Amino acid sequence: MILYERLADDVEQMIRAGTLQPGDRLPSVRALRSRRAVSQATVLQAYALLEARGVIQSRPRSGYFVAPTHRPATVSSSAPPAPSGPPVSVDVSELVFDLLDATRERRALPFGSAFPSPLLFPLQTLATSLARAARSLDPWATVADLPPGSVALRGEIARRYLLTGADVTADDIVVTNGAMEALNLALQSVARPGAVVAIESPAFYGALQAIERLGLRAVEVRTDPVEGIDPDSLREVLDAHPVAACWFMSSFQNPLGATVPDARRPQIVELLAARGVPLIEDDVYAELYFGARAPRPYKCFDRTGLVMHCGGFAKCLAPGWRVGWIAAGRQRRAVQKLKATSSLATNIPAQEGLADYLRRGSAEGHLRRLRRRLASQQEEMLSAIARHFPAGTRATRADGGYFTWVEMPPTVDALELHRRAAAEGIGLSPGPMFSPSRAWRNCVRLNYGHPWDAELRAGIARLGALATELAERGG
């Protein structure tokens, strides 16, 4: 175990044992450094890790304090649709578009947004990298770097794969217009109209829209709010239906926030490989982990080329730049052809600008700061839910990302809550938009990816009051 992790564990054990109580001030960095005979950097890393875990909180000019213990439980939500049910056609696009219209209003409180605050990103530094790359851009790159994309950027992405232990080279990568294009190209390459696609339950609404657009059918797999895909349920689905592909999120799943344990990942990959079923891995939140190290993607355990790993920079580094990628394994050539015949290429200057930024080494510092901010904002959100939402409400505590899945009493209709909240300028994402069968009617997804302030605190309090009114009136 690394020294700072051992120190963090020792401090956390003191908190769990009650030696340090909620609200107590922790030893100063200088005092702990002297007492434990470690460097200042080790103490700061240990405190940063504890802050990311939600165990302590930092207060400007005051130091570090034990976090409040009153937290909503991280528990299983209501039972998902039976995994043995037949595949269904998907018809959610109109519902999703109607609901998203209410979240795009800039003045609306962004609890329903799919994105973290753009104010959390190094946009000025990125602009400098973009300008520098544009000035030195080889004119021939605008032709030579059509699919699969910028050699420089693919090299930087490949180096990040190396850190995870995945066997991916620059030649294996196709750069796309955001991760959403990568995911759509992956699905198109392995599934034909009428085919069956296995999805999580609840599922990312973008996956549902892609399945609907391509004329596919969806079958739901039981998904635990903490540990993600249930391998036994997946096996049942594979036994019962001719699954052409799976579309799963391995880490910080949208909307649940679930993360599949590392020990379970090779089991899922091997189960699919034995049956020749491709796995589309939606890993757009990979960099937003709160612990000491990132979970290993399914791609790390891929020995057959059936895992199609999709990522992007919008959620962790460059919102609005629309640069993503896919490591498509054995489908690489098919994906390149689909890319060439659909959007042809991804913005070359943007690719070169990102490559410049990554090459200069600024990303790691930004990502550490971003993770700390998100972990702190998660704590604020969950504490507010515990204070203001109706009795019996349960919310998930993710190990990363910026979503929590909130299950309210059965009498609360999430669509009605959405309607009432929207009328007061409060956004949220109701559960039915994450289900092909419009399930999860008493659940909502809330976004804590925006800096916490008095306006957001008041918004959550009001949202909780509206939910309480619906609970007490029976919806």
Side-chain angles (χ1 to χ4, degrees), residues 313-358:
F313 294 105
K315 307 298 195 301
C316 65
L317 181 59
W321 284 42
R322 304 308 306 152
V323 178
W325 72 87
I326 177 172
R330 64 170 68 176
Q331 295 296 326
R332 179 173 64 90
R333 289 295 298 165
V335 166
Q336 279 194 30
K337 290 178 181 177
L338 285 168
K339 169 69 175 174
T341 56
S342 55
S343 61
L344 182 60
T346 299
N347 185 298
I348 298 298
Q351 293 186 57
E352 295 297 334
L354 279 167
D356 179 271
Y357 179 87
L358 293 170

Side-chain angles (χ1 to χ4, degrees), residues 386-432:
R387 286 194 300 273
H388 299 296
F389 273 62
T393 295
R394 301 184 290 181
T396 56
R397 176 181 293 276
D399 293 327
Y402 49 90
F403 295 125
T404 183
W405 180 251
V406 183
E407 180 190 3
M408 299 168 292
T411 51
V412 179
D413 186 319
L415 292 173
E416 176 62 15
L417 178 61
H418 171 270
R419 187 187 67 77
R420 296 189 184 192
E424 299 191 23
I426 303 172
L428 61 86
S429 296

Side-chain angles (χ1 to χ4, degrees), residues 196-278:
V196 176
V197 179
I199 58 171
E200 292 145 329
S201 180
F204 168 45
Y205 60 74
L208 300 177
Q209 289 176 299
I211 289 169
E212 178 180 348
R213 182 177 63 82
L214 295 174
L216 307 171
R217 294 177 294 156
V219 60
E220 296 171 284
V221 181
R222 253 194 325 269
T223 307
D224 183 83
V226 178
E227 298 190 337
I229 283 294
D230 178 349
D232 291 334
S233 177
L234 176 58
R235 187 176 291 106
E236 292 171 14
V237 166
L238 294 172
D239 287 343
H241 309 292
V243 174
C246 298
W247 180 328
F248 298 154
M249 288 187 177
S250 47
S251 301
F252 326 127
Q253 189 255 5
N254 180 359
L256 290 174
T259 295
V260 177
D262 280 351
R264 185 184 290 181
R265 297 184 182 214
Q267 178 185 355
I268 291 172
V269 172
E270 290 164 11
L271 173 62
L272 295 174
R275 301 171 186 244
V277 177

Side-chain angles (χ1 to χ4, degrees), residues 15-337:
I15 294 170
R16 301 297 181 208
T19 306
L20 291 169
Q21 296 289 323
D24 283 355
R25 183 174 181 174
L26 273 71
S28 70
V29 173
R30 179 181 297 178
L32 195 56
R33 179 189 67 184
S34 174
R35 186 172 301 177
R36 294 295 293 262
V38 296
S39 69
Q40 178 173 316
T42 297
V43 178
L44 288 171
Q45 285 179 297
Y47 278 176
L49 178 57
L50 289 168
E51 197 173 4
R53 291 175 181 173
V55 176
I56 69 174
Q57 296 174 334
S58 63
R59 299 178 189 170
R61 302 187 190 89
S62 299
Y64 294 87
F65 294 79
V66 180
T69 57
H70 184 44
R71 300 175 176 178
T74 303
V75 293
S76 208
S77 293
S78 53
S84 58
V88 296
S89 297
V90 178
D91 180 19
V92 300
S93 284
E94 285 303 317
L95 173 65
V96 169
F97 283 127
D98 287 346
L99 295 172
L100 289 181
D101 278 344
T103 69
R104 292 194 181 101
E105 172 57 52
R106 184 170 177 177
R107 290 169 296 181
L109 296 184
F111 303 130
S113 172
F115 300 95
S117 169
L119 302 179
L120 298 178
F121 297 92
L123 299 181
Q124 200 58 49
T125 309
L126 283 167
T128 301
S129 281
L130 178 60
R132 184 166 40 236
R135 285 194 299 268
S136 61
L137 181 65
D138 177 1
W140 286 104
T142 59
V143 177
D145 284 351
L146 299 183
S150 161
V151 173
L153 181 58
R154 287 187 288 121
E156 293 297 329
I157 295 170
R159 275 187 275 278
R160 301 188 79 78
Y161 274 112
L162 179 63
L163 297 175
T164 72
D167 183 16
V168 175
T169 69
D171 289 340
D172 297 323
I173 296 166
V174 178
V175 180
T176 59
N177 291 309
M180 200 65 230
E181 184 184 41
L183 292 158
N184 275 272
L185 293 175
L187 191 58
Q188 285 179 262
S189 72
V190 295
R192 301 293 174 263
V196 176
V197 179
I199 58 171
E200 292 145 329
S201 180
F204 168 45
Y205 60 74
L208 300 177
Q209 289 176 299
I211 289 169
E212 178 180 348
R213 182 177 63 82
L214 295 174
L216 307 171
R217 294 177 294 156
V219 60
E220 296 171 284
V221 181
R222 253 194 325 269
T223 307
D224 183 83
V226 178
E227 298 190 337
I229 283 294
D230 178 349
D232 291 334
S233 177
L234 176 58
R235 187 176 291 106
E236 292 171 14
V237 166
L238 294 172
D239 287 343
H241 309 292
V243 174
C246 298
W247 180 328
F248 298 154
M249 288 187 177
S250 47
S251 301
F252 326 127
Q253 189 255 5
N254 180 359
L256 290 174
T259 295
V260 177
D262 280 351
R264 185 184 290 181
R265 297 184 182 214
Q267 178 185 355
I268 291 172
V269 172
E270 290 164 11
L271 173 62
L272 295 174
R275 301 171 186 244
V277 177
L279 169 56
I280 300 168
E281 182 175 10
D282 182 350
D283 204 16
V284 297
Y285 308 106
E287 296 285 5
L288 304 182
Y289 56 93
F290 296 164
R293 58 180 62 88
R296 300 183 72 193
Y298 287 128
K299 189 67 178 175
C300 287
F301 310 102
D302 182 23
R303 303 291 177 264
T304 62
L306 282 169
V307 176
M308 310 172 74
H309 186 267
C310 302
F313 294 105
K315 307 298 195 301
C316 65
L317 181 59
W321 284 42
R322 304 308 306 152
V323 178
W325 72 87
I326 177 172
R330 64 170 68 176
Q331 295 296 326
R332 179 173 64 90
R333 289 295 298 165
V335 166
Q336 279 194 30
K337 290 178 181 177

